[in-house]
Amino acid sequence: MIALDQTRTKRLVAVHGWSGTVLGLLLYAVVLTGAIAVFANEIGTWSKGGENRASAVEGRLHKPLYDLARSVDPSFHEEIMIRPAGDHRLRFSFQRHELNDETGQIEDYAKVFYVDGATGETLSTETGFLRDLGGRNPGDALERFLVDLHVRLYVPQPWGLFLTGVLGLAMMVAAVSGFMMHRHLLRDLFTAPRERGLLSDRRDRHVLAAAWGLPFSILLAFTGAFFSFAISLGLPIVAMVAFGGDQEAIIERVLAVPQSENPVAAPLASLDYIVMDSTKRTGKAPVLITIENYGRDDARVTTNHGYAQGALLPISLMFDGHTRAFLGEKPTLGTTPSTGSAAVSLMGPLHFGNFSGLASKTAWFALGLAMSFVVATGMQLWVKRRAEDPRWRQFGTIVEITVWGLPLALLGSAVAFFIMLPTGNTLWWTPFGFLLAAGAAIWIGLRTENVSGTFQPIIAALCIGLPVLRHLTGGTSWSEALLEGETTVLTIDILLVIAGLALLRYGTTPRRVAPEPVLEPAE
Amino acid sequence: MTGLLAFLALAVSTAALLYLRVTDPRRRRVFNLPPLDRDRPLLAQAALWLPAVGLILLGNLAALVIWMGGIAVIGWAVAAATPNTVVVARERFDALRVESAKRYVSLRAGLRLWLRVLSTIPAQLREEAATPGQSDRIAALEARIAELETLLAGRSTSESDAANTAKSPPLAIAGSRP
């Protein structure tokens, strides 16, 4: 598509190859776990044996809010967030800003109450800095581990976010350089590899997958790098420069709509009425409610309604907390709707693929797998081209072990989770199970000639065995799941079994190599 | 609704992709396939992109983005299938079809036989109803046949005994004079 001279093409090949190879193993891990993390909510529901995850805030809210607000210090009325917490529970989080001695930053310190949505009874409470709360439920360990592995490769903050940000940039560089290198991108869009076992076939396989997924590779890499750097780098830098290091202040200035302060005491208007009003306006119940300055005349209620049917931007509405008057739609950034706010709002749906339920998630999952294939085949091609060098051959073994070992290690973390779930000790054992399985994968991989042929049956066996293990360790049986309408549990079990059987059936089938055309003597 | 719209759009575009794959001149050259006489790339490309235009006109941006993502994956899968893969798939499908046809034929033949047998029963019942005592008559005839067979068997035994007696000399009895 872009005509370049030989020298420039060689440079681009070097940039493309080295950027992909040096960070390729980590990039593969981020991309594959990202594909799986698209279904993190569903995996969380499945791992807990089904949990009625309400998608919206339900039930009467005003009375429990009133009772809980009276039970906490008024300093915690600064910000209150209400969201569904699964199994018909509601999560009331009363927050104030405090200095965290560990990090040296001003952060949200919260008192969190889990309330029965039907009866209003308080089921459990927890207190602490918001960043430390929320992940202590043993049943959430698998879901959180998968997400953390993708977001920061389980490296402590902020270095994990730096790392994934750099990987996102590397992927963009590889995608753009690949686009520039390929002269006949459109013409070769339907040219499949010829399966003759040659090096050029490997190249064709990589190029074909990369060409079709090019726009989304750039999109997902860009949005991923944005999220990583915005939180780990952009926010602290701007806070240091303009807000004296106070990150909470910059968040409030940029994300909140400014209002005139009026600390005069005034009761909050009926929250149930506000929720009803917002539901009528948007056609959807809210998924998150935020109340600022509860108990004051300048109280404000913001209702977040997720995505409307067919839309890509989430909807948030603002109400006056005292008079319940509708104040308008709240933009993501700034005070009025703007292109910048819309662009930032688009980052989330375009990266997570959660804007249209199962349909969008399925598409994003498939795209993630396709991108994993691109990264893996790229590394394999790079190594194959240098097969004469023993060091590159060793690296090739490491590539094969990583490509097949990572799915095995992820399944290993799920096995550890289910085994330890009855004891409640999953928060430590889930990542440790991943490490154990990864270690086993490395040990097996270094002792076998055919890495893929050895790993595929093991992965297939784990896929088929996981639903059985889940059931044996006290998980919901299929009959119970059917009775309770827990389709997520059934679906994931069935998909795992199908994946395992397909891997057993087709994974070990040798690739049928097309016969070369026989040259006939000219007559 | 969004998912359904995206699915329909992807179905139409997939059909166009399949056509474009089969008619792609570079692919046909690479795999030593003969060039096609008839080729309508513009029509196929229109069929590929029209669903996206439709989604834009409907204002469903979510379905449009799902369509874009789906096309990337489906396009890759369609393009990655080599003619060899297609041949293997077609062979397997044909084998399955032949096997199913055989089973269908034998099933049909079996069903036909049963139907024929079943269809004669009402006729027999009608015959019996039309000629009363028919079965008694048949039973009487069968009994007569059995009687005659017994008689015949008895006659043939006595005839063979007489023939045997004529051939063999009389038995010498102790104490008797010839």
Side-chain angles (χ1 to χ4, degrees):
Chain A
M1 289 187 70
I2 301 174
L4 296 171
D5 59 37
Q6 201 178 32
T7 313
R8 284 205 175 101
T9 305
K10 277 185 181 172
R11 276 192 203 138
L12 275 174
V13 170
V15 166
H16 179 85
W18 282 106
S19 66
T21 303
V22 168
L23 298 168
L25 295 176
L26 294 176
L27 188 59
Y28 173 75
V30 170
V31 173
L32 185 63
T33 51
I36 296 168
V38 169
F39 287 111
N41 279 346
E42 286 75 11
I43 290 173
T45 301
W46 167 76
S47 63
K48 281 184 273 199
E51 175 195 55
N52 201 337
R53 286 201 181 203
S55 56
V57 176
E58 334 174 288
R60 299 238 175 248
L61 303 173
H62 194 85
K63 175 101 180 28
L65 172 69
Y66 178 76
D67 292 339
L68 290 172
R70 283 177 61 189
S71 72
V72 301
D73 188 88
S75 62
F76 284 98
H77 294 174
E78 203 176 308
E79 188 175 42
I80 303 169
M81 296 177 89
I82 307 170
R83 54 159 55 102
D87 286 331
H88 304 290
R89 295 177 304 157
L90 292 170
R91 183 178 186 268
F92 287 78
S93 172
F94 293 80
Q95 297 161 198
R96 70 183 182 202
H97 295 129
E98 257 188 38
L99 177 67
N100 189 340
D101 293 327
E102 277 182 25
T103 62
Q105 301 287 336
I106 295 175
E107 293 177 7
D108 283 326
Y109 186 81
K111 284 196 179 209
V112 177
F113 299 88
Y114 287 91
V115 172
D116 187 308
T119 62
E121 178 197 344
T122 303
L123 301 171
S124 61
T125 64
E126 42 185 16
T127 307
F129 284 99
L130 216 54
R131 60 157 69 210
D132 300 324
L133 298 178
R136 292 182 184 167
N137 183 356
D140 291 330
L142 184 62
E143 176 188 350
R144 286 192 68 85
F145 172 70
L146 289 173
V147 172
D148 282 345
L149 196 60
H150 170 66
V151 168
R152 54 185 178 91
L153 285 173
Y154 226 69
V155 173
Q157 302 280 32
W159 309 107
L161 286 176
F162 285 157
L163 182 56
T164 50
V166 166
L167 291 173
L169 288 180
M171 181 146 178
M172 272 204 304
V173 165
V176 171
S177 57
F179 167 74
M180 291 173 69
M181 271 159 51
H182 199 93
R183 285 194 169 202
H184 308 293
L185 194 73
L186 293 180
R187 222 170 67 178
D188 292 345
L189 267 182
F190 287 99
T191 307
R194 271 166 283 181
E195 306 302 348
R196 296 160 302 177
L198 302 179
L199 189 62
S200 57
D201 297 336
R202 284 180 178 267
R203 182 202 63 207
D204 292 344
R205 205 178 300 147
H206 171 72
V207 165
L208 190 68
W212 278 97
L214 188 64
F216 277 91
S217 299
I218 297 175
L219 178 72
L220 291 169
F222 175 76
T223 51
F226 171 83
F227 281 122
S228 289
F229 284 132
I231 300 167
S232 64
L233 209 59
L235 194 61
I237 287 176
V238 176
M240 239 184 314
V241 167
F243 291 88
D246 188 351
Q247 294 185 24
E248 285 300 320
I250 178 181
I251 290 171
E252 280 182 18
R253 178 69 70 89
V254 170
L255 297 181
V257 177
Q259 56 186 93
S260 51
E261 280 206 20
N262 189 355
V264 171
L268 189 76
S270 168
L271 189 59
D272 297 320
Y273 179 88
I274 291 173
V275 168
M276 186 193 67
D277 188 8
S278 68
T279 305
K280 212 187 324 181
R281 289 175 189 273
T282 58
K284 282 182 76 170
V287 299
L288 171 67
I289 300 170
T290 308
I291 305 166
E292 294 162 276
N293 301 327
Y294 173 86
R296 287 167 42 155
D297 192 63
D298 57 355
R300 180 168 288 176
V301 178
T302 306
T303 57
N304 186 308
H305 297 260
Y307 302 95
Q309 181 72 247
L312 281 176
L313 298 178
I315 310 168
S316 289
L317 304 181
M318 292 185 295
F319 295 85
D320 186 301
H322 179 51
T323 63
R324 71 187 188 197
F326 176 59
L327 300 175
E329 206 169 310
K330 181 189 175 305
T332 303
L333 289 182
T335 57
T336 54
S338 61
T339 308
S341 176
V344 169
S345 301
L346 274 176
M347 295 286 177
L350 289 181
H351 187 78
F352 305 126
N354 59 352
F355 51 90
S356 190
L358 201 59
S360 57
K361 285 187 179 184
T362 306
W364 255 240
F365 174 73
L367 281 168
L369 290 184
M371 283 166 54
S372 309
F373 182 86
V374 171
V375 176
T377 50
M379 286 192 290
Q380 287 170 340
L381 177 63
W382 182 265
V383 160
K384 199 72 180 173
R385 276 201 170 127
R386 290 153 183 80
E388 290 167 2
D389 189 335
R391 289 171 300 179
W392 281 114
R393 277 205 302 277
Q394 283 171 2
F395 182 70
T397 306
I398 295 171
V399 166
E400 290 300 306
I401 292 172
T402 305
V403 166
W404 292 103
L406 180 61
L408 196 150
L410 290 171
L411 290 166
S413 68
V415 168
F417 169 84
F418 283 121
I419 291 173
M420 299 311 292
L421 186 60
T423 67
N425 199 7
T426 53
L427 292 175
W428 190 83
W429 274 99
T430 303
F432 190 64
F434 176 85
L435 286 175
L436 278 177
I442 293 168
W443 189 82
I444 295 170
L446 290 174
R447 280 159 182 75
T448 179
E449 289 291 321
N450 183 6
V451 175
S452 60
T454 308
F455 277 53
Q456 280 169 9
I458 302 173
I459 294 170
L462 283 172
C463 283
I464 295 168
L466 259 182
V468 177
L469 179 63
R470 185 188 66 73
H471 182 55
L472 287 176
T473 52
T476 309
S477 66
W478 281 17
S479 53
E480 286 167 353
L482 274 169
L483 279 171
E484 290 166 21
E486 287 293 346
T487 51
T488 305
V489 174
L490 273 171
T491 307
I492 295 184
D493 275 353
I494 291 170
L495 287 174
L496 277 171
V497 170
I498 290 173
L501 291 173
L503 202 54
L504 276 176
R505 170 69 178 87
Y506 295 107
T508 49
T509 306
R511 199 185 293 272
R512 185 166 149 170
V513 178
E516 278 292 325
V518 175
L519 293 174
E520 299 284 345
E523 290 186 3
Chain B
M1 186 64 181
T2 299
L4 181 63
L5 282 174
F7 176 77
L8 290 172
L10 281 169
V12 172
S13 298
T14 302
L17 280 173
L18 287 167
Y19 179 83
L20 286 169
R21 179 190 74 181
V22 169
T23 58
D24 186 62
R26 178 159 168 75
R27 182 187 170 92
R28 295 189 77 84
R29 239 183 356 260
V30 163
F31 288 102
N32 300 314
L33 296 171
L36 286 174
D37 295 330
R38 264 175 47 170
D39 184 12
R40 296 199 179 133
L42 288 177
L43 192 63
Q45 282 170 20
L48 176 63
W49 294 106
L50 269 175
V53 173
L55 291 174
I56 294 172
L57 291 174
L58 284 172
N60 200 320
L61 293 180
L64 177 69
V65 173
I66 295 172
W67 175 87
M68 289 162 68
I71 277 294
V73 177
I74 293 172
W76 172 44
V78 163
T82 62
N84 192 41
T85 312
V86 172
V87 163
V88 167
R90 199 174 290 155
E91 282 173 4
R92 282 190 186 154
F93 179 72
D94 286 343
L96 192 65
R97 210 173 50 175
V98 165
E99 189 59 34
S100 305
K102 278 186 200 166
R103 288 185 190 179
Y104 176 65
V105 163
S106 63
L107 186 64
R108 261 181 67 181
L111 278 173
R112 267 199 192 145
L113 183 62
W114 272 105
L115 281 171
R116 208 176 300 140
V117 167
L118 288 172
S119 64
T120 57
I121 292 176
Q124 282 179 8
L125 289 173
R126 274 200 300 275
E127 274 180 32
E128 284 177 13
T131 56
Q134 183 76 6
S135 55
D136 294 338
R137 196 161 167 263
I138 290 170
L141 281 170
E142 282 174 350
R144 178 66 183 150
I145 289 168
E147 219 180 275
L148 289 170
E149 279 176 347
T150 312
L151 191 62
L152 196 61
R155 272 199 186 169
S156 48
T157 309
S158 59
E159 278 174 6
S160 65
D161 284 345
N164 288 337
T165 308
K167 281 181 189 171
S168 59
L171 290 167
I173 303 171
S176 64
R177 289 175 191 258

